[in-house]
Amino acid sequence: MDYLHAPIIQAPIGSASTPELVAAVGNAGALGMLSGTWRTPETLQALIAHTQSLTDAPFGVNLVLEWDMSERLDICLKAGVPYLSFFWGAPPVKFIRRCHAAEATVFHTVGTVDEAKAALDAGVDILVVQGMEAGGHVWGTAPLLELLPEVMAIADNTPVVAAGGIGCAAEVRAVLNLGAVAAWCGTRFLLAEEAAVHPYYQERLIKAMAAETRLTSCFDGGWPNAPHRVLENETLRAWDAAGQPQSPDRPFDGEVVATDSTDGSVEYRYTSNLPRPSLTGNLEELCLYAGTSVTHARQVQPAADIVRELVG
């Protein structure tokens, strides 16, 4: 991590992460992360190559352990991706060994001290401590500023990155003062010009405050039993009013709320997909991921400017 000029890591933010975003973050002296989980192997390979064509800065790929990531890990290592980030579940010992054999550095996200100990025992290079304030899918179950010092106390010489609810320079300084080597930020980068985010979604983020975010399990289409933090909308309010029933008994379950203008595919209510630029329809009813740091997300701007603001 010594190469970083800015102690900022751009969270992978799902389909919103693009080669242009990752490269811009890297060129600004921070570390960009490309989401690899929901891309086909062929698409992931092309995205990595495109990113490498845009920057000489190192970058990472994030893989979610809810699904088998063996093929995607192979693609990353063969392409020479220097940083691999694993999320959701126990540290994957076999994957860690393969990464180390390829001289790649391993991040792993933890939400408790016990998970941090297990990750250290497995040989993880960098711990990502996620607080429950995070946007998107949330593995952490405690506030970041409570969990971070506890993990720091057992981390020894292993670097620790802080994630969850970090959206301004003061919050970055706060986690650095507690011993973190960098801040992992997602919500702010949803407003990057280089991110693949629908303008309507960006407008909602700009107007929102932290109190409008909710940790819920409502939007589980495609990823069940995975808590996530989102902005409140009519889909969430109707689900709450109905007593939070399970599928297929949720209000308007199975209703198509958006269509992709490029390929004609549809998005159903309760999907876990965020609004991408090519969607048309009732975007307000979709999953609008946002962490409590949304309070600081106030304009669409180049990713490099976001990095500079976060550093202060």
Side-chain angles (χ1 to χ4, degrees), residues 99-248:
C99 290
H100 287 168
E103 300 184 346
T105 298
V106 177
F107 291 79
H108 186 71
T109 297
V110 300
T112 68
V113 172
D114 286 343
E115 289 174 4
K117 291 177 180 177
L120 293 171
D121 290 342
V124 167
D125 300 301
I126 301 173
L127 296 173
V128 180
V129 177
Q130 188 193 51
M132 62 190 299
E133 302 92 340
H137 287 87
V138 181
W139 185 253
T141 57
L144 175 62
L145 295 185
E146 292 180 14
L147 180 59
L148 181 59
E150 295 176 351
V151 173
M152 291 299 309
I154 58 98
D156 294 325
N157 294 321
T158 300
V160 175
V161 172
I166 304 170
C168 68
E171 290 164 348
V172 172
R173 286 195 297 272
V175 297
L176 296 182
N177 288 339
L178 288 173
V181 299
W184 183 283
C185 305
T187 301
R188 281 295 305 272
F189 286 104
L190 290 170
L191 292 184
E193 291 178 355
E194 300 87 349
V197 178
H198 197 284
Y200 171 79
Y201 180 19
Q202 292 179 322
E203 289 174 10
R204 285 282 274 116
L205 292 169
I206 288 169
K207 296 176 181 178
M209 300 296 287
E212 298 172 58
T213 70
R214 284 273 306 280
L215 187 60
T216 181
S217 60
C218 177
F219 297 94
D220 66 352
W223 192 352
N225 304 312
H228 41 273
R229 186 174 293 279
V230 297
L231 295 178
E232 284 194 350
N233 63 4
E234 287 304 317
T235 296
L236 181 53
R237 284 188 283 268
W239 182 67
D240 283 342
Q244 301 183 351
Q246 299 298 305
S247 183

Side-chain angles (χ1 to χ4, degrees), residues 38-55:
W38 296 277
R39 274 71 188 251
T40 66
E42 296 77 15
T43 298
L44 177 58
Q45 190 171 20
L47 290 173
I48 292 171
H50 188 188
T51 306
Q52 291 170 329
S53 74
L54 296 175
T55 183

